[in-house]
Amino acid sequence: MGLNAALTVPTTAQRPRDNGHALVGSRCGQCGAVSFPARAVCHRCGTPAPAEHTFATTGVLLTYTTVHVPRPGLPAPYTLGQVALDDTGPTVFGQVRMNGAEPAAGMAVRVRIGADGETPRYWFEPDRFAG
Amino acid sequence: MGLNAALTVPTTAQRPRDNGHALVGSRCGQCGAVSFPARAVCHRCGTPAPAEHTFATTGVLLTYTTVHVPRPGLPAPYTLGQVALDDTGPTVFGQVRMNGAEPAAGMAVRVRIGADGETPRYWFEPDRFAG
Amino acid sequence: MTSDDIEVIGVGMHPFGRFTGHSLKDLNRVACVSALVDAGLGVQDVDAVYAANAMAGLLQGQEMIRGQSVMREIGIERIPVTNVENACASGSTALRQAVLAIRAGSADVVLVAGVEKMFVEDRGRTLAALESAGDLDVVSGIGLQFTAVYGMRLRRLVAAGRLTVDDLVAVSVKSHANGALNPYAQHRKIVSPEEVLGSRPIADPLTLLMCSSICDGAAAVVLARRGVIPSAGRPTVRVRASQAATGYTTTGNEPSLTETCATAAYAEAGLGPEDVDVAEVHDAMAPAELIAYEHLGFCGPGGAGALLGSGATQIDGSRPVNPSGGLSSRGHAVGATGLAQVAELTWQLRGEATGRQTHQPRIGLAHNNGGWLEGESAVSCVHLLERTDPWD
Amino acid sequence: MTSDDIEVIGVGMHPFGRFTGHSLKDLNRVACVSALVDAGLGVQDVDAVYAANAMAGLLQGQEMIRGQSVMREIGIERIPVTNVENACASGSTALRQAVLAIRAGSADVVLVAGVEKMFVEDRGRTLAALESAGDLDVVSGIGLQFTAVYGMRLRRLVAAGRLTVDDLVAVSVKSHANGALNPYAQHRKIVSPEEVLGSRPIADPLTLLMCSSICDGAAAVVLARRGVIPSAGRPTVRVRASQAATGYTTTGNEPSLTETCATAAYAEAGLGPEDVDVAEVHDAMAPAELIAYEHLGFCGPGGAGALLGSGATQIDGSRPVNPSGGLSSRGHAVGATGLAQVAELTWQLRGEATGRQTHQPRIGLAHNNGGWLEGESAVSCVHLLERTDPWD
Ligand SMILES: [Zn+2]
Ligand SMILES: [Zn+2]
């Protein structure tokens, strides 16, 4: 298995990170390992150029924290979470916007994608369609 | 020979770098090696706490260059030189202010010390008292 | 060559804390000269230097030749100086390179030095620099701070019933109590559970008194090939294992990075967790010590609270952990931390840790992690040290 | 173990130049994947990584885990990644650590990667970052730029009659001519002596066309313990010497740092300057190649101009120097430079340097310096490589 295919993948800036509705990364055709953002070589099996893959818009909030130390452009408190996207998607960090509700580990969440140029680019909200 | 004496030397900020007229550094009592600014241990023989030493105000311009790329707060062109201070003093880099004259390798120069807070703190000028 | 060919022949620290008037050169000088004095050596006995620092590029503007610039202050020139950077594990990474340099036959006596100056005029710059311990291409803009990463890890364990908030508080109280006994520590004040719980929230469940804080400091270690430097009648401390590993993309189901690295270290030394008599573990937030208990094999899954509660990890317990106060209380001068751990273990193994001496330890473990990827540390280093002389 | 136990089994580069849309990850990927493809390996065959970079902290804000963050992009996780920084000699310093890691028995196959991205939106930031290659505590505020350090060194030699301005021009013309033959080079245009002399003054006697410029790029080298990876019928390249040294406080009367380091490298290999068939030397400003002739022993004091004039150091000469175009014309992507030199030498020794191939070289020398103290470089590294197979 040569690595050659990893030489001609799009640059990191050229690879989409979302499609306006969902996060986009890569999924290895060989072993199924996923990555967000996409990578040039699979971290699990070493296969080059894993395919671009659109992840589920829903996921499970594994854990979260409310941060009380502000950062520039980011007033405190704000909530961060670690989310495992559904359908064996990747585990990602992101802000969690509860709109007044209380977060809970195991809660169903849905990804939200910001407008062009918005920071952060994506965040999570409670999935109000979940059971 | 223990290194202990190097534990109790003044901090780098506490050590004088000039006395308003001349550069001040260190000179090893053991081997005579000089350093500007002062150091806590002699770089030539390893003796700790070389003595504070005031260097000659005159020196020889070993080489120089006129820099044509400006830096913030420093309009180009400006001239830099490498100077060996007299009486086996240290070799130091510094600005050379020729006031219209042409620098030359081997020329006698004299150190000038700026006012408190001035940048740079010292520079060199032609030594008009030299032969 | 085998790993026990290398001895720790000198250690030294500049106290950790806030040292406004002290430059990187001042901090480094005190640590290095102390370590060389401890070893009975002069600066010209050193064959090579490994210099660890994580943030001087962003905080002092000094990139590129950090080690060379601080070493000339103590008269060290000419010999190879290598700058090593691996986030909060920079110090232990540098130590490992020194071990490799001796094993490779390129040096007999190596000075390993770590220095960090985190107090600068603008605290925001320090916080921003700390964020660069993550992959900024992936996480920048979401406000991911070190404390948040630890807060999330701990909440998950609390939610799963593997730790309680009382455990987090108790281990923080222990950390401060140990720090109070350590003259090199940044935080030297005993605190009560109420004070820990009532202190300002940082990233819940973490409160201020659970967290390491901004810190200046330096630490240094002198390693030598066995037999090159006479022991001067002092107990000999040997390096029995030196391992490093990089974080990985987690699925949530694999062994932790620390576990992977510790397993390799135990295998290298032919030892197991049961052989460890004293440990300095990576607790950038004091409760992370509890996670380390599990990952280093000191207890089974979910057993950390009970282990702590048993008193075994206290200074007078059967397996003391972080007698120095750990990162949280001794302080976490990032690039110096891994070497401060080794300094503490060396003092413990020699019986020189006045006031916080543990009972006749033979094997010491240093665990130093750094940075983060999504869900794991970016770096882990585990070293095992051994006192080869009997205790009387 | 001895030094010839280590082979260069793969090399690769991302072209040097201006690559606005390419991130550190993109640059590093192309260099590393090319080197692994060249070695016939996959990413999972690598045991350890040494990552070199000098300026990403100041220019991209990515301190601490530079190597870990670029390596995950090519699927490299778990194995030890060590970040090494030694100014312009970061790449060769990382290479030396990889050599030591293999000699120490801790790894069989090591990937060494250097990456730098110097083009940022504000050129002033890059110039400021370059100034951090000096000891800022001593030199900050006087406006000491890299070019000025070289300008002063060269003027002193010109004033002493050891070099002429014509020599400085001629070697710059040669540098550009070689770069024009190198598809990886930043500057690929032949220039005339008049163009060199007439180009914008930078730090006299240096003009724009004598100087390396701001550059993006990456280079990678795969080292392996001898015999671990089958050669695939290709000529074998071995590491015969790997030496490093730190600059010192000059009195103006001692041997140069490069001379000291080269002498140690020759001794390690049991070779002398007369054995070197092709060299890549550190010419951040093209005329520095002439200084290297003397310091590496290719000519006696004052003989550099004559050696250049003889044509011996041209690509078709008896001892070609900088067939790649050197730092000045191939480009000087700071952290990558030392590894780009080794890539070039490997191609030369294998006979794969199409268009700029030198005549059947057996011994290659790489000379990489970094930073500056008062009057000397802060770091020097010299490596010697050997093609062990006969040329037909
Ligand atoms: Zn895969
Ligand atoms: Zn002396």
Side-chain angles (χ1 to χ4, degrees), chain D residues 21 24 27 64 94 138 162 198-199 213 252 280 298 322 331:
Chain D
L24 289 169
L27 299 169
M64 301 213 198
V138 177
R162 287 170 65 171
S199 64
S213 52
E280 286 280 320
F298 296 167
N322 287 352

Side-chain angles (χ1 to χ4, degrees), chain A residues 17 34 36-37 39 43-44 62-71 74 78 80-82 91 93-95 105 119-120, chain C residues 123-124 127-128 131 137-138 141-145 148 151-152 155-156 159 201-204 249-251 372-375:
Chain A
R17 296 194 179 193
V34 292
F36 173 80
R39 292 182 192 162
H43 56 274
R44 193 192 294 162
L62 299 177
T63 183
Y64 63 93
T65 184
T66 300
V67 181
H68 297 267
V69 180
R71 298 290 303 124
L74 191 55
Y78 60 92
L80 287 171
Q82 188 179 27
T91 297
F93 287 131
Q95 288 183 17
T119 298
Chain C
R123 186 163 160 277
L127 294 180
E131 283 191 26
D137 169 49
V138 176
I142 68 175
L144 194 62
Q145 307 185 30
M152 287 188 274
R155 179 185 297 283
R156 196 171 180 186
I202 298 293
D204 66 280
T249 308
T250 183
T251 61
W372 66 82
L373 307 175
E374 283 72 41

Side-chain angles (χ1 to χ4, degrees), chain B residues 28 30-33 42 44-47:
Chain B
C28 177
Q30 196 69 26
C31 78
C42 174
R44 194 193 292 162
C45 75
T47 301

